[in-house]
Amino acid sequence: MQNITSLDLLNVLKSESKFLRKCSITINNFPIVKYNCLCKLYQNPDLRESFVRALEYSQNKKWAEESISNLLSSKNAEGKFYELLAYAWLTNRGALYKQEVKTREGQTLSKSKPVLDGKFDFGSKKTYFDIKTFNVPNNILDQLIYKLSNEPELLQYTFMIEGRKDCSYKMLQENIFYSYETIKNDIINRSMQEQQNFCYHIEDTPITIKVIKKRAGVYMTTCTFSPYKWAEENELFFIKNASQFTKNNPFLLICVCPANLLPSEIQLRSIARRAFLHLPNIKASVVTPFLDKKIDEKYVKGKLKLVMSRLSAILFIDTRQSNVNDMKGYLYKNPNAKNPIKNYEVLLGFNPNLKIVDDFVNDNY
């Protein structure tokens, strides 16, 4: 894959679709070897077929052109990859939907008129949806290892994470993502002093980095993880984009889980349960730093009850399988939704891989 570029991938996609050959797509040419999602797409014809089917779905050239330009971008590749994967998951099972839907003023909880990723064309009361990559907090830890491994001064080392991986996204963002330069420089300085392997503990986090000189052999590390602790630490993920929730229509949040998240049913159910049953009781003023800044203030004067009642359901898509048709879905419905989702079987295309559907009816006390 060392010599494969974004232009090579574009040409492969075009060779497999008459529709895409008609599209006018401009991209920057760069090696895709550093982007695992793009390498996966280049190497997997079944995955490409599903992506092409989703891109062709509505014959919307403008949307397809913008989607591929963002996919084959060094800045947006991963986010757009998982977004298109969600569209592919829906398309493969015959779901009827429209992409990129404009909203009217007052239709969502936003101060403005956001564009949502889509709405389902079924039923008198349309269900809207938006797609998010759900990888908390692994994305920050993965990015940390990736960046350290590519620092010119540290190429002789292998880096491994050790510690508790059920910590909060916000805490890692503040102490790792925003502090990367400090971490990098500290490790470089230690590497100049140390003549052997060493451990570097990241201040104010439960994370330690094992810094190991590259040599033949097996490297081991120890991490702990509790799905319940992880759910508690990361439940505020669901208010980051709460302004997109629709006021008088059902709203489905589609969360695409990258393979490295390794989600379990316990893990996903735990965090969905906290979103539906715990967050409504929290005062908005307590979680202001985590709350969507675009949300209309009238919805957050007291508790988050009004906000969370507009989230009708959460669909998690587990992407560990190489074929989209084999990827499992886990649907969790909000027992306190103002606009409940109905006929989800039709909305989601009678998908046999929708493994779990839970409405928390016996948890809602």
Side-chain angles (χ1 to χ4, degrees):
M1 297 299 294
Q2 291 292 331
N3 299 320
I4 305 300
T5 69
S6 54
L7 184 58
D8 294 326
L9 179 51
L10 175 60
N11 289 334
V12 170
L13 290 169
K14 283 187 170 184
S15 72
E16 297 173 341
S17 169
K18 291 181 180 179
F19 170 72
L20 294 183
R21 287 197 291 273
K22 297 176 183 177
C23 293
S24 177
I25 304 167
T26 302
I27 63 168
N28 292 323
N29 197 25
F30 60 89
I32 66 171
V33 66
K34 294 180 180 179
Y35 302 87
N36 185 54
C37 58
L38 298 183
C39 293
K40 187 185 299 184
L41 189 60
Y42 184 85
Q43 295 172 316
N44 188 333
D46 290 331
L47 188 61
R48 285 200 309 276
E49 182 182 357
S50 295
F51 269 56
V52 167
R53 191 178 295 121
L55 290 163
E56 293 177 337
Y57 175 73
S58 64
Q59 297 292 295
N60 184 333
K61 288 179 65 176
K62 182 180 178 182
W63 177 80
E65 289 167 356
E66 290 177 352
S67 294
I68 294 181
S69 293
N70 284 322
L71 174 67
L72 301 182
S73 155
S74 56
K75 182 179 180 181
N76 302 311
E78 183 170 326
K80 183 56 69 170
F81 175 84
Y82 288 111
E83 180 182 307
L84 287 173
L85 194 55
Y87 285 121
W89 194 86
L90 294 171
T91 305
N92 277 14
R93 291 301 171 186
L96 302 176
Y97 63 88
K98 180 180 179 182
Q99 314 108 323
E100 287 210 339
V101 179
K102 295 179 180 179
T103 60
R104 303 182 305 276
E105 187 172 350
Q107 190 175 3
T108 68
L109 305 191
S110 176
K111 301 172 186 175
S112 57
K113 298 178 285 185
V115 175
L116 301 179
D117 286 330
K119 70 175 179 179
F120 294 102
D121 292 330
F122 178 82
S124 57
K125 207 169 188 180
K126 304 297 185 187
T127 297
Y128 289 77
F129 66 85
D130 210 74
I131 302 167
K132 305 297 179 190
T133 303
F134 188 72
N135 194 21
V136 292
N138 289 15
N139 53 342
I140 291 179
L141 298 177
D142 291 345
Q143 188 177 34
L144 171 66
I145 296 301
Y146 171 78
K147 290 172 74 172
L148 288 173
S149 300
N150 286 277
E151 292 292 347
E153 301 94 333
L154 298 171
L155 295 178
Q156 70 272 34
Y157 291 100
T158 293
F159 300 91
M160 301 178 73
I161 294 293
E162 191 163 69
R164 242 187 53 230
K165 295 184 75 173
D166 49 17
C167 42
S168 80
Y169 177 88
K170 189 69 175 178
M171 181 257 287
L172 295 188
Q173 185 181 50
E174 291 174 354
N175 296 295
I176 294 180
F177 184 79
Y178 295 137
S179 303
Y180 175 73
E181 288 301 314
T182 299
I183 295 170
K184 177 194 73 174
N185 290 332
D186 284 350
I187 291 177
I188 290 174
N189 290 336
R190 283 279 302 276
S191 71
M192 295 171 66
Q193 300 168 12
E194 303 275 354
Q195 298 302 314
Q196 54 189 359
N197 304 337
F198 63 91
C199 293
Y200 176 82
H201 180 75
I202 301 177
E203 191 173 351
D204 297 323
T205 78
I207 299 298
T208 294
I209 305 172
K210 294 181 76 171
V211 185
I212 306 167
K213 286 193 174 181
K214 290 181 179 177
R215 64 174 69 91
V218 177
Y219 307 120
M220 297 183 66
T221 187
T222 303
C223 293
T224 60
F225 182 87
S226 162
Y228 302 109
K229 179 66 175 176
W230 170 85
E232 179 184 3
E233 293 284 2
N234 292 287
E235 63 183 351
L236 297 178
F237 173 88
F238 299 105
I239 62 173
K240 286 173 55 181
N241 301 101
S243 67
Q244 297 177 320
F245 299 170
T246 43
K247 190 162 62 173
N248 296 311
N249 291 80
F251 181 87
L252 174 66
L253 184 64
I254 301 177
C255 295
V256 187
C257 305
N260 61 348
L261 181 61
L262 298 177
S264 66
E265 293 174 18
I266 292 176
Q267 187 177 342
L268 298 180
R269 188 183 191 277
S270 297
I271 200 165
R273 185 180 186 278
R274 296 191 73 92
F276 298 146
L277 304 180
H278 181 242
L279 288 186
N281 297 314
I282 295 178
K283 288 184 178 180
S285 58
V286 175
V287 292
T288 299
F290 304 87
L291 188 58
D292 190 343
K293 301 301 184 289
K294 299 176 184 177
I295 201 167
D296 193 315
E297 293 175 5
K298 67 183 179 183
Y299 294 106
V300 291
K301 288 184 177 179
K303 294 182 179 180
L304 292 173
K305 184 176 181 179
L306 276 179
V307 173
M308 298 312 299
S309 67
R310 265 61 177 201
L311 176 58
S312 305
I314 303 168
L315 170 66
F316 295 101
I317 299 176
D318 179 353
T319 65
R320 280 177 287 184
Q321 298 296 321
S322 59
N323 191 311
V324 175
N325 287 328
D326 296 327
M327 293 178 181
K328 297 178 182 178
Y330 302 84
L331 180 67
Y332 298 98
K333 300 195 292 180
N334 186 351
N336 301 309
K338 181 178 183 294
N339 307 295
I341 280 187
K342 300 177 180 179
N343 301 309
Y344 64 85
E345 301 95 338
V346 180
L347 289 182
L348 301 177
F350 296 98
N351 198 317
N353 285 317
L354 193 60
K355 294 301 180 184
I356 298 292
V357 179
D358 198 329
D359 59 8
F360 299 98
V361 65
N362 296 316
D363 295 75
N364 197 30
Y365 49 82

